[in-house]
Amino acid sequence: VEAVRGSIAKFLNRKPELVKDEMHLKQLVSESFVLVELVIELQDIYEVRITQDEMPQLETVQSLIQLIVSKST
């Protein structure tokens, strides 16, 4: 979980402790294409695939982390 948070923080050039579970992803990224780039980066790092159908579920940092963790185990 913390590794995924660290990857998100690194991509967004933020400190990991500033990337909180309850934060909405729209708070962290200004453009939707940046969110798509973040998801692509995480897919590559953790060797998982997130489908188009799963994208709308990704509202918060926690939901993104949980999806990555569930797919990587």
Side-chain angles (χ1 to χ4, degrees), residues 4-60:
V4 179
R5 182 185 322 283
S7 297
I8 294 169
K10 183 177 179 183
F11 180 86
L12 298 172
N13 292 320
R14 294 178 184 243
K15 293 181 180 179
E17 60 270 15
L18 298 178
V19 179
K20 306 286 186 191
D21 284 349
E22 66 276 0
M23 291 181 84
H24 284 270
L25 292 171
K26 291 179 183 176
Q27 289 177 278
L28 293 173
V29 297
S30 57
E31 304 287 336
S32 60
F33 76 89
V34 177
L35 178 57
V36 172
E37 289 178 353
L38 171 60
V39 169
I40 290 169
E41 178 79 9
L42 294 172
Q43 290 181 116
D44 290 344
I45 292 170
Y46 296 100
E47 298 179 349
V48 297
R49 290 292 160 241
I50 297 174
T51 66
Q52 292 278 351
D53 293 339
E54 292 168 320
M55 287 294 288
Q57 300 170 28
L58 303 177
E59 294 182 3
T60 63

